[in-house]
Amino acid sequence: MKYAEQTVWITGASSGIGAALAVAFAAEGAKLVLSGRNEAALAEIAGQCQGARTIAFDTTDLGALPGIAADAGPVDILVNNAGISQRSLALDTDFEVYRRIMEVDFFAPVRLTQLVLPGMVAAKAGRIVMIASIAGKAGSPMRTGYCAAKHAMIGYADALRAEIAQYGVAVHVVTPGFVRTGIAVHALEGGGAERGRSDASIDAGVSPESAAATILAGMAAGTREILVGDGPEMMLGKMRGSDPDRLFDMMAAAAPVVER
């Protein structure tokens, strides 16, 4: 088994891709530390993963993270999966919504990475896994904050990879397209409330289990940027490099028409 006896810490492990990754890593013999805010949901997932430990916390409580990382102990693989999306036009979005998204999707992963990285460097081994998004490669309407955070995550991860390769620590960036999770349901609207409903595109996406299998296979192969999905949205990242004007026009055409 590829990940036998390796300690894997997964944030956002109570549902979606995080939960599917937990089950997949457990099947490969990994020792799991599962985190999220929903203790009951975490316990349910842990029950499917022999020997898994749970640490429930809010990733935006940055002051508490050093103690939480100490409780997690040395880890071989950190999967920064916890995240929150958005469904609101920039003109209608409160600044605090942007702050919340950046705290969850960017600053929290950076802080956790800082906390576990020294141990990996000392061991001359380890993996940092950033669950980003295709939205981190192409700007999509109704998601200005989410796109900004995921672009930032990818930029940070790419630069970090270059710095720490000399120590034997790998950085994997995962860029999912549409995956059947609750990400759209829990996305923030302009005033900060949860949206409460999904998108047809999300509901037609790949399953979390398929996503997890692709991620584990990519990690085992040493793939530094792991693409997850099989829909037309997976071409957006390539278009940014090959035909950016076409991409920009496509995104503009997808934006809602609102009279003001």
Side-chain angles (χ1 to χ4, degrees), residues 3 22 57 73 97 107 127 144 187 210 216 237 239:
Y3 303 99
F57 68 97
V97 171
F107 288 116
R127 301 174 189 262
T144 47
S210 174
L216 263 66
M239 286 178 64

Side-chain angles (χ1 to χ4, degrees), residues 22-209:
V23 173
F25 273 118
E28 292 285 347
K31 296 183 290 186
L32 296 174
V33 180
L34 307 180
S35 291
R37 291 184 299 168
N38 189 324
E39 293 188 48
L42 277 179
E44 183 176 345
I45 299 302
Q48 304 174 45
C49 306
Q50 185 174 2
R53 292 192 292 133
T54 63
I55 305 177
F57 68 97
D58 186 334
T59 58
T60 63
D61 187 0
L62 300 182
L65 294 189
I68 291 165
D71 288 345
V75 298
D76 300 294
I77 301 172
L78 171 65
V79 182
N80 283 307
N81 171 71
I84 190 168
S85 191
Q86 172 195 11
R87 293 296 185 274
S88 60
L89 293 168
L91 284 167
D92 302 325
T93 302
D94 292 346
F95 180 73
E96 289 304 315
V97 171
Y98 286 116
R99 187 185 295 276
R100 171 72 177 169
I101 291 170
M102 289 299 294
E103 290 283 354
V104 174
D105 291 2
F106 179 65
F107 288 116
V110 169
R111 186 66 181 123
L112 285 179
T113 298
Q114 285 186 315
L115 291 167
V116 305
L117 195 55
M120 293 181 177
V121 169
K124 297 294 189 289
R127 301 174 189 262
I128 303 292
V129 183
M130 297 290 201
I131 307 297
S133 170
I134 200 66
K137 308 290 271 184
S140 179
M142 304 290 288
R143 298 165 177 82
T144 47
Y146 182 67
C147 289
K150 294 302 185 180
H151 273 73
M153 173 185 270
I154 292 174
Y156 170 81
D158 287 350
L160 179 68
R161 182 189 299 113
E163 292 179 2
I164 64 175
Q166 62 186 304
Y167 305 117
V169 180
V171 176
H172 303 278
V173 169
V174 181
T175 54
F178 297 132
V179 181
R180 294 196 301 273
T181 70
I183 190 168
V185 175
H186 299 296
L188 300 184
E189 295 184 323
E194 286 195 357
R195 185 179 188 229
R197 65 183 188 281
S198 190
D199 296 328
S201 55
I202 295 291
D203 296 340
V206 300
S207 69
E209 292 74 22

